[in-house]
């Protein structure tokens, strides 16, 4: 069995953040690239319609080169094509959350 490899560091961040700030609490983490502001706004809108729970948005801004290096250590069946990384990186919108 191959060990899991990370590319951006989300799982590690979630483990450390939850243990530090929300020990024992139930917390939902929604993991998605959502490169555009509109897509992010739709997720936030739907969450607000369902709950009054506070929402935090965390951007894991791992350099593209590092993501590709980590991706290369994954087993072949788990690798993401470099073109996908390039497309998502180019599409990332920083025009507000």
């Amino acid at each position: 069995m191959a060990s899991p490899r990370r590319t951006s560091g989300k799982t590690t961040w979630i483990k450390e953040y939850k243990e530090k700030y929300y020990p024992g609490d139930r917390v939902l983490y929604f993991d998605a690239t959502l490169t555009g502001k509109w897509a992010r706004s739709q997720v936030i809108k739907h969450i607000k319609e369902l709950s009054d729970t506070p929402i935090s948005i965390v951007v894991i801004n791992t350099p593209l080169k590092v993501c590709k290096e980590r991706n290369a250590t994954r087993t072949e069946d788990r690798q993401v094509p470099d073109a996908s990384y390039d497309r998502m990186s180019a599409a990332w919108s920083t025009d507000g959350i």
Side-chain angles (χ1 to χ4, degrees), residues 4 8 22 32 34-35 37 41-43 45 49 53 55 57 61 67 88 92 95 97:
S8 68
Y22 299 102
L34 301 177
T35 57
K37 181 180 178 179
S41 72
Q42 295 305 297
V43 170
K45 175 184 164 192
E49 289 171 354
T53 302
I55 298 171
I57 296 174
N61 191 14
C67 289
M88 287 187 290
W92 177 253
D95 58 348
I97 299 297

Side-chain angles (χ1 to χ4, degrees), residues 42-96:
Q42 295 305 297
V43 170
I44 292 167
K45 175 184 164 192
H46 291 298
I47 292 170
K48 286 182 176 181
E49 289 171 354
L50 297 171
S51 173
D52 62 353
T53 302
I55 298 171
S56 297
I57 296 174
V58 176
V59 176
I60 308 288
N61 191 14
T62 305
L64 179 59
K65 179 182 177 187
V66 173
C67 289
K68 288 182 176 183
E69 288 169 353
R70 292 174 180 168
N71 186 50
T73 68
R74 289 177 161 182
T75 59
E76 188 174 329
D77 64 312
R78 300 274 303 141
Q79 288 184 4
V80 176
D82 276 355
S84 294
Y85 281 105
D86 294 335
R87 185 180 66 254
M88 287 187 290
S89 179
W92 177 253
S93 168
T94 58
D95 58 348

Side-chain angles (χ1 to χ4, degrees), residues 10-33:
K10 297 179 303 289
T11 302
T12 300
W13 184 89
I14 287 171
K15 282 181 186 177
E16 292 172 3
Y17 186 84
K18 183 185 182 321
E19 290 171 11
K20 184 174 181 178
Y21 296 102
Y22 299 102
D25 288 347
R26 293 176 52 174
V27 179
L28 170 67
Y29 294 93
F30 180 80
D31 174 11
T33 304

